[in-house]
Amino acid sequence: MIGFCGICDSELESLAYYSTDREWLISARCKKEHLALIRYDKEWNWQEDLHLEFIKEDIRVADLDREMLNSVFTPAEIRDMIACQQGKPYTRQNIYRARGKYQKFEKLFGIKIEI
Ligand SMILES: [Zn+2]
């Protein structure tokens, strides 16, 4: 346990340590799967917490909680986001409409969808 999640306040557990020339970087994950990167200097003085947005690009809509999705997206949008990620036929219009809601979804749940 190395701190608290900046999104949901639950405990962060460290996943990996990286050493660079100037600092230590520790990746961590909370119970709700939010990811963070914590920077320390070489003397282990805390510098800052960063959210790992880039790792979230791998998020698969099919794996997300359906109630979370339903609170923002319509069933047709959810179906086509999943189809698009799985390389199956989808309606372009539904993806466009869903894109307009990604920010709202990220604000509510701290999860960034990129399709
Ligand atoms: Zn969290």
Side-chain angles (χ1 to χ4, degrees), residues 58-102:
D58 289 328
I59 280 197
R60 295 166 52 83
V61 173
D63 297 335
L64 295 174
D65 184 84
R66 201 44 76 107
E67 277 185 36
M68 275 166 48
L69 291 167
N70 283 338
S71 69
V72 176
F73 302 105
T74 66
E77 288 163 357
I78 295 166
R79 182 197 64 216
D80 284 346
M81 285 192 291
I82 292 169
C84 182
Q85 280 191 325
Q86 294 176 342
K88 293 174 183 163
Y90 61 92
T91 307
R92 209 168 275 269
Q93 208 69 30
N94 287 330
I95 298 294
Y96 289 146
R97 266 200 294 270
R99 273 189 193 141
K101 302 175 182 175
Y102 288 176

Side-chain angles (χ1 to χ4, degrees), residues 5 7-8 10 30 32 34:
C5 175
I7 296 167
C8 71
S10 65
C30 80
K32 292 182 181 170
H34 301 133

Side-chain angles (χ1 to χ4, degrees), residues 17-90:
Y17 292 67
Y18 312 93
S19 175
T20 72
D21 290 344
R22 285 174 306 160
E23 62 193 6
W24 289 95
L25 296 170
I26 299 176
S27 62
R29 184 171 56 199
C30 80
K31 293 186 178 71
K32 292 182 181 170
E33 305 282 299
H34 301 133
L35 294 161
L37 191 67
I38 304 159
R39 292 178 49 222
Y40 294 88
D41 67 19
K42 280 297 184 187
E43 282 73 48
W44 287 102
N45 296 306
W46 177 85
Q47 303 294 305
E48 67 175 327
D49 289 358
L50 304 163
H51 294 296
L52 280 183
E53 303 290 348
F54 57 93
I55 285 181
K56 290 178 186 162
E57 287 174 20
D58 289 328
I59 280 197
R60 295 166 52 83
V61 173
D63 297 335
L64 295 174
D65 184 84
R66 201 44 76 107
E67 277 185 36
M68 275 166 48
L69 291 167
N70 283 338
S71 69
V72 176
F73 302 105
T74 66
E77 288 163 357
I78 295 166
R79 182 197 64 216
D80 284 346
M81 285 192 291
I82 292 169
C84 182
Q85 280 191 325
Q86 294 176 342
K88 293 174 183 163
Y90 61 92

